[in-house]
Each structure stands twice: as C-alpha cells, then as structure tokens.
Amino acid sequence: GRLYWRSLVVRDKRDVRDAGDVAAECVAHLRAASNHGRIRPVITVFAADEPGLAAPRVRNDQLVRYAGYNTDDGVLGDPKHVDLTAWVEELGWVPPTPAYLLRMAGAKRRARNALTD
C-alpha cells in the first residue's frame, strides 16, 4: 500500500558499470535493506543498455536466494535455481561445506542468545 511506497528507498546507481563496483553496490543495497534488522523496501537502479554498451546484469530475480542441486533423489534446495547454481559453479563458485554452515548457524544462535541474556 501507500506506506510501502512512502518508505521506499531508491538508490540511483545509473553511473555504476564496472563489475566490482556493481557487486559493491549490491552489498550496499543488502545493508540498506536489512537496516540493522528493521527491514525496509529498497530498490537500486543501474544503467540501462546503450548502443554498443551493455548494462550491468544481475542474473537472478533477487540478490539472495537458495541454491538448487539435482541429486539422484530429486532436487536439493530451490528447484527454480538449479540452472543458476550450476552456472555459477562453472564460473568457479564453491558452495559452502556442511561443516561451515553448521558453524555459521551456531554463531548466529550464540549471537541471538547474547542479545537476549
């Protein structure tokens, strides 16, 4: 409704074209949207295509999504992102190990407990 539109933060980044700068602005977008735990609506606008100059591309529909993997038992994770996951792995992305994910979950739990103690 109207409250959403009144609180929408628009980040005009049409001058940003370098891949590293686009990545940095995506991180800044996530920080602005998470707003220290008080989620707020944010949109970041990058440049449009120009003749002879392609605009920056974000390949998925949201910056943070779950990976998807085909397994013998079906899809593990988000079925919508199986192709995207395979593509970024071909580019060199290495998914986190289960041990890493467990450590991060434990750290998050300890941080949450410290805030409520």
Side-chain angles (χ1 to χ4, degrees):
R2 280 188 218 143
L3 179 59
Y4 173 84
W5 291 109
R6 280 195 301 241
S7 63
L8 178 65
V9 175
V10 178
R11 301 178 67 246
D12 183 354
K13 299 300 174 182
R14 290 177 287 179
D15 60 328
V16 176
R17 289 192 173 267
D18 175 75
D21 293 338
V22 169
E25 289 301 338
C26 288
V27 171
H29 171 98
L30 292 171
R31 285 194 176 119
S34 63
N35 193 28
H36 303 286
R38 299 191 65 210
I39 304 300
R40 65 179 167 196
V42 175
I43 185 169
T44 299
V45 180
F46 290 107
D49 283 338
E50 294 178 18
L53 185 59
R57 299 275 190 264
V58 176
R59 298 287 179 164
N60 43 331
D61 58 344
Q62 292 188 19
L63 291 178
V64 178
R65 299 299 286 195
Y66 290 103
Y69 303 92
N70 281 319
T71 70
D72 292 338
D73 298 322
V75 173
L76 173 65
D78 191 337
K80 182 178 176 185
H81 294 103
V82 169
D83 291 339
L84 177 66
T85 302
W87 181 65
V88 297
E89 284 182 309
E90 287 173 16
L91 293 174
W93 177 70
V94 178
T97 64
Y100 172 83
L101 295 174
L102 287 172
R103 281 197 317 273
M104 292 302 100
K108 183 177 179 180
R109 188 172 40 257
R110 287 189 300 279
R112 191 177 321 130
N113 289 342
L115 291 174
T116 58
D117 288 344

